[in-house]
Amino acid sequence: MQLARAARIILVGAPGVGKGTQAERLMKRFPQVSAISSGDLLRENVRNKTPLGVKAESRMKAGALVPDGVIINLILGELQGRNWISTRTESPAAAAVETEHGENSGSLLKTEQSDDPGASFILDGFPRTAVQASQLDALITINLVVNILTPASIIIDRIGSRRVHAASGRVYNSTFNPPKVEGKDDVTGEPLTRRDDDDPETWKARLRKFEETSRPLLEHYQRKGVLWTVQGDSSDEISPKLFGEIERRFG
């Protein structure tokens, strides 16, 4: 399916809701859509010792959070590198401030974004708060935020059925992706284990925390008029609805 204009998408959903699965399926269904992960950009810049990577690594080694402005600039650099956005500073002084600190939130920049369908992306890992969303707004216009809803009881049941092969990271689920031999990895035959943090009570706490912290973010995008909510008990139930909405908006 070919898009007619650029889709700039954020997927929001509780841990275990299947955001990664939906992102993979969207990119397969709509080949013009790419994934941009703030975590991957951060790791790549740290590994390559770029100025932003060095700044981020020094903060992480000190036990501090990476500043939002650094993440914003990582995303900005990726979008510029793909020629999906062009920027200009309002004044030479503004440019000097951005260059010196590397933490410009976009407020000093004027941006022009491509509406070519090939400039479509799913942004993963950022923003997580309404404040971060406002910073991102100054950089680029997100035109669809998908709020994925699955009942907490189903997520917890799904997690409870999850088993992993620790050495490779392969993940199985007794409900919808079982191993060929119960309790054994398909490739090595080694035993599968349960992650320590896959405890039901731990997950209940994580889901409650997500609900509290995500509400302001969703309200932000609701005010922007770009929030769309999809509900389902499984990824297979959600995907067709999501495909249809993408086609309606951007096809």
Side-chain angles (χ1 to χ4, degrees), residues 161 163 170-180 186 192:
S161 302
R163 298 294 182 270
R170 282 185 287 275
V171 179
Y172 301 88
N173 191 289
S174 60
T175 303
F176 56 85
N177 182 37
K180 296 175 182 176
D186 287 352
L192 301 177

Side-chain angles (χ1 to χ4, degrees), residues 174-227:
S174 60
T175 303
F176 56 85
N177 182 37
K180 296 175 182 176
V181 177
E182 184 176 356
K184 303 292 184 181
D185 177 52
D186 287 352
V187 178
T188 65
E190 295 171 344
L192 301 177
T193 59
R194 182 178 180 176
R195 291 173 177 165
D196 291 340
D197 60 355
D198 277 357
D199 173 72
E201 292 306 313
T202 300
W203 270 85
K204 287 178 183 178
R206 290 183 68 185
L207 294 175
R208 284 194 298 269
K209 181 66 174 178
F210 170 79
E211 186 175 353
E212 294 171 5
T213 58
S214 66
R215 191 176 300 115
L217 177 65
L218 296 174
E219 290 173 350
H220 173 87
Y221 284 118
Q222 180 70 57
R223 290 192 295 270
K224 292 284 184 180
V226 297
L227 181 65

Side-chain angles (χ1 to χ4, degrees), residues 3 23 30 32 41 43 68 74 104 117 127 130 137 162 164 178 193 205 214 220 223 226 241 249:
L3 302 178
F30 305 100
Q32 294 156 302
L41 292 177
R43 286 184 287 273
D68 291 345
L74 291 175
N104 187 288
D137 289 343
R162 183 164 67 182
V164 299
T193 59
S214 66
H220 173 87
R223 290 192 295 270
V226 297
K241 300 175 184 178
R249 290 178 182 246

